[in-house]
Amino acid sequence: MDKLVIDGGVRLKGDVRVSGSKNSVLPILAATLLTDEPCVVRNVPGLRDTNTMVKILRSLGKNAELNKGVVSVVSSKNNSLPRWVADYKLVSTMRASFCVLGPLLGRFGEARVSLPGGCVIGIRPVDLHLKGIKALGAAISMDSGYVYAKAKQLKGSHVYLGGVYGSSVLATGNVMMAAVLAKGKTVIESAACEPEVEDLADFLIKMGAKIRGHGTPVIEVEGVKRLRGAEHSVIPDRIEAGTFMIAALVTRGDITIKNMVPRHMGALVDKLEEAGASLVKSADSMRVCYKKQLKPVNVSTLPYPGFPTDMQAQLMSLMSITPGISIITEKIYPDRFMHVAELNRMGALIQREGPHAIVSGVKKLSGAPVMASDLRASACLVLAGLAASGKTSISRIYHLERGYENIERKLEGLGAKIWREKE
Ligand code: EPZ
């Protein structure tokens, strides 16, 4: 296995281009199961997770190929495999693959999908996914770690999808994809409003689905008989963009992030401006420079448009070197603090109190050997390594490769001293 080594303390300067959104492309690739016709998805990042989803499509009877950022999906002739069984081996490596349930059920009237495992950030339940599918008339049973759903004909229904932690991104996507071929109208209340849900709906509409209200808490779907193939270019990855915005600040540098959507970044921009960062926005880019000592900020993660949980760890790396006390509260995944212990190994002063992390900013972090535990925690450790004095080595970087395309090359392009070594 490789590890990433960073010789920190370099001010990052220059331009960087954001890749397509991981959390948008995964459900969009699942949506290609809703038609037999060819689909083309562009601006697809080359990641562990996108390659996994391509493999899952192949296991479900599609010929799918990711080549230079483009995925072409056509139905394969060989029907050896039952086309509605998503097997444990693949689903357990990536939780997002559970979102093949809705399209398989909608298209074939049955689906057998392995329950996704939990992960270090939480137990990751799927009760809201199943509540929505049941509301559309599916009979659900579980056996040996699989969900089996069956419905002769799904029927439109009104379903409230709010859970104890608020709305659910992938449950909204799953239910929307099941509803597009159901008979009649479906109303999803307390739907997730994330840009990735909007992007999925835009792709489904190009396939012929009738959807309104996507991007708001109430989504209406009018079922249609069938969907056609479509072409779509995925939105830029707002979490990658946010990660580079923080990279500019932790290194006291000056970075222009290109090919992003500033209006997707409202909560993060608000917090960084409150901290004293200088952010200059344009139509599809943002220039972030460190002008003066930043101030500590308090933040709670919330469903969109609130502060994204996927940016919590990255903000923590910035607050760990911002003098003063910041309180970071995690309301989506209360256990999403695996990065705290690793940051403290680098000299940070962070105390965890339940869903709160109390960060007392220090002057400087010092490089150290650290271990990645999940995708965004590994991004946090990269940022901390860029800011620290001396060398940081980050092991288990396969976590990072799940969600950041060519991150070393992009950081090197900004002046970072970063390279891989064998573990
Ligand atoms: C998506 O996961 C993202 N992943 C996550 O990004 C992101 O952190 C999360 O949304 C929240 O924004 C993808 O889109 C592939 P949720 P998802 O259902 O949809 C609870 C990353 O780093 N919940 O919105 O699985 C759940 O436990 C990843 O890129 C239920 O209670 O998350 C959590 O507390 C990590 N029941 C909250 O809702 C359910 O049936 C929000 O989860 C489903 C979820």
Side-chain angles (χ1 to χ4, degrees):
M1 273 194 282
D2 288 354
K3 63 184 177 183
L4 215 48
V5 182
I6 300 171
D7 198 356
V10 176
R11 289 172 187 247
L12 299 188
K13 291 192 177 355
D15 297 356
V16 67
R17 193 181 187 292
V18 170
S19 300
S21 163
K22 165 182 87 80
N23 291 350
S24 182
V25 73
L26 295 175
I28 283 175
L29 290 176
T32 62
L33 294 162
L34 283 161
T35 180
D36 242 353
E37 296 183 13
C39 292
V40 177
V41 184
R42 302 181 197 290
N43 197 30
V44 177
L47 304 169
R48 218 173 257 275
D49 279 6
T50 42
N51 287 309
T52 300
M53 188 52 93
V54 166
K55 281 190 205 132
I56 288 171
L57 290 181
R58 287 188 195 138
S59 74
L60 293 168
K62 291 288 189 184
N63 279 336
E65 206 62 47
L66 169 52
N67 190 0
K68 296 196 185 70
V70 179
V71 175
S72 311
V73 184
V74 290
S75 289
S76 67
K77 295 284 164 276
N78 80 330
N79 291 332
S80 52
L81 298 154
R83 299 195 299 172
W84 38 266
V85 178
D87 81 3
Y88 176 71
K89 280 192 308 304
L90 287 166
V91 174
S92 58
T93 60
M94 181 182 68
R95 177 192 149 65
S97 30
F98 196 67
C99 67
V100 301
L101 176 67
L104 290 176
L105 185 64
R107 182 99 194 325
F108 300 110
E110 60 184 309
R112 186 170 157 74
V113 181
S114 162
L115 277 163
C119 64
V120 288
I121 66 174
I123 50 167
R124 313 296 297 270
V126 291
D127 57 303
L128 297 172
H129 298 245
L130 302 182
K131 175 182 179 184
I133 301 287
K134 266 191 209 141
L136 296 178
I140 305 258
S141 60
M142 313 255 204
D143 69 274
S144 44
Y146 279 80
V147 170
Y148 180 61
K150 194 165 174 56
K152 258 211 178 8
Q153 167 64 59
L154 291 172
K155 286 193 186 53
S157 162
H158 184 121
V159 58
Y160 180 81
L161 268 195
V164 286
Y165 296 100
S167 51
S168 163
V169 174
L170 286 177
T172 302
N174 236 339
V175 175
M176 197 162 60
M177 289 191 279
V180 291
L181 293 175
K183 206 167 172 48
K185 179 175 175 180
T186 295
V187 176
I188 303 174
E189 212 184 323
S190 191
C193 305
E194 271 72 7
E196 294 77 27
V197 173
E198 244 185 302
D199 203 28
L200 170 62
D202 290 339
F203 177 59
L204 291 167
I205 290 167
K206 285 179 184 172
M207 295 173 80
K210 290 195 167 59
I211 300 173
R212 290 182 331 148
H214 41 301
T216 80
V218 181
I219 297 177
E220 293 182 4
V221 182
E222 196 61 55
V224 294
K225 281 238 170 316
R226 59 186 296 281
L227 292 180
R228 54 182 181 270
E231 303 216 358
H232 185 74
S233 190
V234 167
I235 56 170
D237 193 311
R238 63 191 168 102
I239 304 301
E240 184 190 9
T243 304
F244 280 110
M245 288 164 65
I246 303 257
L249 298 171
V250 283
T251 63
R252 303 193 170 192
D254 178 354
I255 299 178
T256 300
I257 297 112
K258 298 194 167 229
N259 180 48
M260 64 177 295
V261 182
R263 74 175 171 83
H264 289 165
M265 317 297 296
L268 178 63
V269 166
D270 175 60
K271 270 302 151 191
L272 295 182
E273 285 178 338
E274 181 190 328
S278 145
L279 308 176
V280 179
K281 292 167 227 134
S282 71
D284 63 352
S285 71
M286 189 166 325
R287 181 174 177 185
V288 182
C289 29
Y290 179 94
K291 285 254 193 314
K292 58 184 183 342
Q293 178 60 57
L294 297 181
K295 297 195 300 293
V297 292
N298 297 332
V299 74
S300 289
T301 63
L302 289 167
Y304 192 88
F307 190 91
T309 174
D310 291 351
M311 282 301 306
Q312 179 258 103
Q314 297 91 311
L315 181 73
M316 193 181 289
S317 67
L318 179 61
M319 290 298 114
S320 69
I321 53 171
T322 300
I325 302 285
S326 318
I327 299 175
I328 296 178
T329 302
E330 177 53 69
K331 291 194 170 168
I332 307 292
Y333 298 110
D335 290 334
R336 193 174 198 171
F337 287 126
M338 299 293 284
H339 41 288
V340 169
E342 298 306 299
L343 283 173
N344 286 342
R345 284 174 47 72
M346 297 176 71
L349 287 176
I350 306 167
Q351 190 166 333
R352 181 182 167 182
E353 292 295 332
H356 310 287
I358 295 131
V359 185
S360 170
V362 295
K363 256 197 152 0
K364 199 89 174 127
L365 296 176
S366 54
V370 290
M371 189 183 292
S373 53
D374 58 276
L375 170 55
R376 306 304 173 183
S378 32
C380 158
L381 295 176
V382 169
L383 294 168
L386 291 168
S389 54
K391 273 206 187 91
T392 297
S393 63
I394 305 169
S395 59
R396 301 190 180 178
I397 54 164
Y398 53 85
H399 291 293
L400 189 68
E401 292 159 348
R402 297 192 54 170
Y404 289 92
E405 186 181 42
N406 299 330
I407 190 161
E408 295 126 80
R409 246 209 345 255
K410 290 179 180 176
L411 288 170
E412 255 180 339
L414 295 166
K417 289 184 201 141
I418 181 170
W419 64 93
R420 268 174 199 248
E421 285 180 4
K422 284 280 162 246
E423 278 277 20

